[in-house]
Amino acid sequence: ISQYDYMVQLCREGWKKKVQGVISKEKEQEYVDRIKMELGVIKEIGLEGYFLIVQDYIAFARKNNWLVGPSRGSVGGCLAAYLMYITGIDPIYYGLSFERFYNAGRNTKDNKTMPDIDTDFPRDKRELVIEYIKNKYGHDKVAQIVTFHELKGKSSIKEVLRAHKAVSND
């Protein structure tokens, strides 16, 4: 079975639980059209593997009863992500756009932009999820990205105290 076929299978399974019999017959065609369009775009740009990896480590976290954020950022507009249990937000119900997640119109000949799927885990489980990904897909295939923020005023003092464990994370 190809990655694309497996992704379609996961979407069908999600469809049976999240859409079929839950929405009206009149509304169902909107979902059908949307998932066909999204799967076509995902296949065209070759992101099936990316979706399957994200789905896998989110399923791993859920299987271990760890909290996983319902959605953050533009992926909330992706019906495929919803059907695959990557997100918990129905983008059609909330009127969210897939094009905000991925829009080929932003690409140029020299620069192709790819979407990202932001995922939240509890701080104390983050390293366990990363270790799972490294063990399953290879340590040489996993990289972490650092983000820099500018802190001002009270937030800078709070972050220094937090780093020195003088205040809680709450």
Side-chain angles (χ1 to χ4, degrees), residues 71-88:
S71 178
R72 184 161 54 94
S74 61
V75 72
C78 181
L79 181 60
Y82 173 66
L83 295 176
M84 294 174 69
Y85 291 86
I86 292 171
T87 67

Side-chain angles (χ1 to χ4, degrees), residues 66-168:
W66 302 337
L67 291 175
V68 178
S71 178
R72 184 161 54 94
S74 61
V75 72
C78 181
L79 181 60
Y82 173 66
L83 295 176
M84 294 174 69
Y85 291 86
I86 292 171
T87 67
I89 307 295
D90 178 342
I92 294 177
Y93 179 83
Y94 290 102
L96 302 174
S97 167
F98 176 75
E99 289 75 14
R100 188 163 174 270
F101 174 63
Y102 181 77
N103 183 336
R106 289 186 259 182
N107 294 337
T108 65
K109 181 182 170 195
D110 299 322
N111 184 34
K112 301 254 190 243
T113 61
M114 290 291 143
D116 66 329
I117 299 173
D118 299 316
T119 310
D120 294 314
F121 300 103
R123 279 189 183 187
D124 64 330
K125 303 301 182 197
R126 186 175 181 273
E127 287 304 316
L128 296 170
V129 173
I130 293 169
E131 199 58 34
Y132 169 80
I133 296 167
K134 287 180 179 178
N135 289 335
K136 184 156 187 182
Y137 299 100
H139 288 257
D140 61 327
K141 305 283 191 278
V142 178
Q144 294 184 45
I145 300 170
V146 69
T147 304
F148 295 96
H149 296 278
E150 183 178 314
L151 299 173
K152 297 179 181 177
K154 277 199 232 179
S155 63
S156 62
I157 294 168
K158 187 173 182 178
E159 286 302 314
V160 169
L161 293 171
R162 186 186 335 252
H164 291 282
K165 300 190 186 314
V167 296
S168 72

Side-chain angles (χ1 to χ4, degrees), residues 37-56:
M37 178 274 295
E38 287 187 16
L39 288 171
V41 169
I42 290 165
K43 183 176 186 179
E44 180 182 323
I45 59 177
L47 286 180
E48 309 96 288
Y50 177 54
F51 273 81
L52 292 173
I53 290 169
V54 173
Q55 182 276 334
D56 176 55

Side-chain angles (χ1 to χ4, degrees), residues 16-70:
K16 289 175 186 171
K17 293 179 181 170
K18 294 182 168 199
V19 177
Q20 189 174 338
V22 176
I23 61 166
S24 68
K25 287 290 181 191
E26 297 80 29
K27 192 82 172 155
E28 190 171 310
Q29 190 59 48
E30 183 179 355
Y31 282 78
V32 169
D33 294 343
R34 174 75 168 262
I35 194 60
K36 283 182 178 179
M37 178 274 295
E38 287 187 16
L39 288 171
V41 169
I42 290 165
K43 183 176 186 179
E44 180 182 323
I45 59 177
L47 286 180
E48 309 96 288
Y50 177 54
F51 273 81
L52 292 173
I53 290 169
V54 173
Q55 182 276 334
D56 176 55
Y57 67 73
I58 289 175
F60 166 76
R62 288 194 176 119
K63 187 170 79 177
N64 284 289
N65 294 315
W66 302 337
L67 291 175
V68 178

